[in-house]
Amino acid sequence: MYLPATLTQRTANPPAAAQARRRVIDDPMRMFHWLFAGAFVGAYLSADSEHFRLLHVTLGYIMAGLFAFRLAYGLLGPRQARLANLRSRLAGAGSWLRELPRGGPGHWRRGQNLLTALAIAALLLLTPLLVLSGYGVWQEWGADLAWVDEDWLEELHEAIANAFLAAVLGHLALLLGLSLLRGSNQAQPMLTGQIDGAGPSPVKQRRRWLAALLLLAVLAYAAWAWVDAPHGLIPVLSAHVTLQ
Amino acid sequence: MMLTRHLILNPAAALLLATAAMAAPAADTSAGTQLEYWSAQAGAPGQAARGQAFFTSRHGGEWSCSSCHGTPPIREGRHATTDKSINPLAPAFNPRSFTDSARSDKWFRRNCKDVLNRECSAGEKADVLAYLLQLKP
């Protein structure tokens, strides 16, 4: 059978230089990131409709569960996933500010990395406030107290959600801006888990099984929530299913 | 290190302060005042009969206003998807009903989209308020 020379060459004998990659993010972290991002986008979009109220609440619980996983993985997980890394990246903020008057290219680069870490820290710090205030709205904490507005917690929840959205947009703007500035796709590590270049990989194990387990847990919870909801999570779909 | 911690904690403190400011009940209006306001906006007085028809019928969607608020809305309603209870809407049965203009505007905007897939007109709001105000014990 005839195959183009380039194709046979590529499959048979990959050129070593073009393939040099380092694995920097493991699979559970990527799975966490995308599920967490998806849950927030879904929750934000379903926030204003009573039709999707239970979908919104379910996505909030999913965010809380994913956050618990992130904390556990960041405390007990492998070195590259430790939350302490984030803290030490932010610990440089003081010296960076003191050196601000001097500036210079190295300082500018450090500032970029500091902002990237700050956006991630903001998202992680806002998450417990976001899900806790949302839980309070769902449980109607303090709604019947005469001296507060009936919607006080909901207003707070919305304000936190908007702060969270601002941090998400800051995170995305930084990725886009730094990709243009540095001439390489800064989102690549979270997309593929790898960055280009030779050298040792900080990630020793991909832990595919843990990523699969996390996905399975989220899907199982969503399925349970759907069945448990009096009219399903997406009423229009459930109505059609009942009619048939 | 201290500086970092302050940078992180400040938004939380700001949020707390903002809540304290937002939490106080506004009670800046009443259902009667809102009826006058929306009637003036519409250029015609709200009509209770028209409001009742509007409130109890579906408008192309799955729900009417009464799907959650009940007919007539003088008792606790029940949320159509979550089954959670909702305070009575008619002002004679709920002293807090329509006493905060920002809250009324917000729920008109949200719930009209749930029922009509658009915002309600001033005339529709005036009609509904006229209907709710004539519901008495």
Side-chain angles (χ1 to χ4, degrees), chain A residues 5 21 38 44 50 55 66 74 93 97 106 110 154 193 199 208:
Chain A
R21 290 259 175 96
Y44 199 89
E50 296 306 319
L55 177 68
L66 287 168
L97 280 176
R110 266 177 69 206
E154 192 169 317
R208 264 204 157 117

Side-chain angles (χ1 to χ4, degrees), chain A residues 16 34 83 88 90 96 101 126 134 146-147 151 153 161 192-193 210 215:
Chain A
W34 293 112
L83 289 168
S88 52
L90 287 171
W96 185 85
L126 282 169
W147 47 274
D151 283 344
L153 203 51
T192 65
L210 189 55
L215 177 64

Side-chain angles (χ1 to χ4, degrees), chain B residues 69-135:
Chain B
H69 290 292
T71 344
I74 59 173
R75 279 178 292 274
E76 284 203 335
R78 222 161 78 117
H79 195 287
T81 56
T82 68
D83 287 352
K84 279 193 182 261
S85 76
I86 300 167
N87 287 339
L89 192 59
F93 301 84
N94 176 359
R96 297 183 83 169
S97 198
F98 295 99
T99 56
D100 177 343
S101 55
R103 180 170 149 82
S104 302
D105 287 351
K106 170 179 145 182
W107 285 103
F108 260 135
R109 180 171 45 77
R110 267 167 74 154
N111 291 162
C112 286
K113 280 189 184 157
D114 282 320
V115 171
L116 301 109
N117 244 326
R118 62 169 172 83
E119 296 204 23
C120 291
S121 67
E124 287 162 344
K125 291 180 197 175
D127 289 346
V128 165
L129 279 158
Y131 164 57
L132 295 176
L133 275 164
Q134 54 113 69
L135 296 169

Side-chain angles (χ1 to χ4, degrees), chain B residues 23-41:
Chain B
D28 59 349
T29 185
S30 70
T33 314
Q34 294 216 45
L35 171 60
E36 282 169 33
Y37 174 78
W38 290 116
S39 295
Q41 290 292 307

